[in-house]
Amino acid sequence: MSSAAEPVPSSQPGAAPPPRTMRRLEPAAIAGVMSRELANFRTYWRGTTFSSVLEPLVYLLAFGLGLGATLVDEVEGVPYIQFVGTGMVATAVIFSSALPAMFGTFVKHRFQNTYEAILAAPVDVDELVTAEMLWIAARSAVYGCVPLIVTFFWGLPPAPGMLLVPLFAFVTALGFAGFGITTAAIVAKIDQFNYVTALFITPLFLVAGTFFPINGLPEFFQVIAQANPLHQLVELVRGGAFGFEWWDLARFAFLVAFAAVTWRIAITRLRARLIQ
Amino acid sequence: MAVEGDHLAVEPVQRPQPEVAVLGQLGEAEVALEGALEQGPDRPGLEEDVRARSRCSSDRRSDSTCSDLIQRSSSTGGILPDGPSGGLASVLGVGAIELRGVVKSFGPIRAVDGLDLDVPEGICLGLLGPNGAGKSTTMRLLTGQAIADAGELRVLGHELPRQSKEARALMGVVPQLDNLDIDVTVEDNLAVYARLYRVRDVGAAVDKALDIARLRDRRRDAVEKLSGGMRRRLLLARGLVHEPRLVLLDEPTVGLDPQIRTELWTLIGALKARGTTILMSTHYIEEAERLADEVAVMHEGKVISRGSPSELIATHAGRQTAEVYAPPQRLAELRAEAEAAGLRVRAAGPAIAIVGSERAENGTVPADAVVRAATLEDVFVLLTGEEAE
């Protein structure tokens, strides 16, 4: 199924084109699945946007203003609220990617039977997963920028490198969307997401360098943090705000690899779940 | 047609490979047939032609037998063309669905067990069976959501699972469970699936589907505001949004009240009249009787008998059934007597039904028995041992 013939115009305006050899990853299938997400998003965007904006803001205000005003003035030469504000991008990204991927996938599969309907159309699991990941990542790229924008009001100077932040957020969110879809394909019951959140997401969040620099941690945790995609995102965002370093390229490559690996695993696991 | 009610088995049928197996390459005969079918149910001879085609394809008769059938059909006003290149005869080799020895197990449970099934284009085949007979698994196999452990599957000329995607592009599926997006508007629900099926003019497709569902004036309403009947109509229309050649209806009216069920039957009847091939799984006898040109009775993962409802009744149940109401002990005696006389007897709630009672000798059927025409329900219960719904 690799070569694709051009579709011949259909005889009737509303009919599907005649059959042809179909590719493995068809943009039309991916766009079709994403159009479903968009149609649904239009019905609930207010609530999701509200929580996606408010949650990181609360953290930003609590840590940035609370700790910043009482205990910590600066970290690594940066005012603490700006240090936290740039780090909070990672928090916004994981909250708006991993969790919707986990719960959304589970609900659509187990409760709504949405995937059964989509897969009855000429859409394969590869396309389904790709579309879901792209959609979640696109949303996260937007929501992830909110803390950065808010921090402008606390004196964060705009920098050209910040224009890359949506890209960094997008790639990282792709990886966490893949992680969330994989998790949803593996767990037997929705309650088991509690284990995933407690064992994986919260620790990742805490050793990302969002609230304090990881070089203050024991060496073991510093090594672990290097394998944490959120930490790499935090460093990239701070690079965008305060100046990149050459190894930021390696960080970005790491995030791309993370997204690619979770994409393949998500496809494999969800296919095992959906195709019996 | 293999009818093996007593042995609950279907003899393997030696059949030639389809003559033409690639869609879009059927040539003039197919175009002529589709054109004829477009003329609708009132076209003279349509029913005879479809029946002739169905017989030829399902029984895999020799070409000469098929030609005879076609000619007889045509001579009585049939529409099937019989051109110089063999006309429809060449098309008859292509079944919409062809399953050979299909096996699918889930752990220790063999859901589909050596299933052979042909569905010729243009007919409505009812897949009738009790719960657990393998109907839904068969549907999942056809949509590529289950992979067979063994056997061959072809849908509209495409081999599964390798060409499942191509096959699905030509199929419409109406699921058993409502999986509409309830917060989304009616027209957006349809538009999403028009895009998934790569329909070029999404707006036109949505308008047609809205007409089918008779929901044009509700197009901008969220699905959750629709009544149950409207939602089922929308579900059906969603499966037809790309004008598929084959429609899979998986228990289309299960759990619905009689009024909604009748509405859906009307819609399915209209679809059938347009010549769309339909495979409909159901465990409702009445649904199969009303809608299906042919019924395949499934039991324990295989087809145990197949034919038109009247053929199945004639073959397995005869003309009449006598229902006898009496105390349990008397019923047991009557049952033993009838069975000793070579008649088939089934339980019918508080009564027993003596099937084929026209063959009974004097005295075998009590004078106060209620004699009625034999039904598909009699056949179903005799073949599967399950009470019908």
Side-chain angles (χ1 to χ4, degrees), chain B residues 103-119:
Chain B
V103 174
K104 179 64 187 175
S105 298
F106 298 103
I109 298 165
R110 188 165 274 214
V112 172
D113 188 10
L115 176 64
D116 293 311
L117 184 69
D118 282 301
V119 183

Side-chain angles (χ1 to χ4, degrees), chain A residues 15-106:
Chain A
R20 59 187 171 90
T21 304
M22 299 181 106
R23 285 176 293 185
R24 191 173 169 200
L25 278 175
E26 294 226 331
I30 294 168
V33 176
M34 290 177 76
S35 79
R36 182 198 162 274
E37 295 295 334
L38 181 62
N40 276 276
F41 184 68
R42 285 204 297 258
T43 69
Y44 65 77
W45 70 271
R46 289 179 185 84
T48 302
T49 303
F50 178 75
S51 64
S52 295
V53 170
L54 191 69
E55 279 181 23
L57 272 182
V58 168
Y59 279 103
L60 183 64
L61 295 175
F63 284 85
L65 292 181
L67 275 179
T70 54
L71 297 172
V72 190
D73 289 334
E74 286 189 351
V75 174
E76 296 173 344
V78 174
Y80 186 63
I81 191 163
Q82 293 178 20
F83 179 84
V84 173
T86 48
M88 283 302 298
V89 170
T91 309
V93 165
I94 195 169
F95 280 169
S96 61
S97 58
L99 299 183
M102 285 160 54
F103 288 94
T105 302
F106 194 90

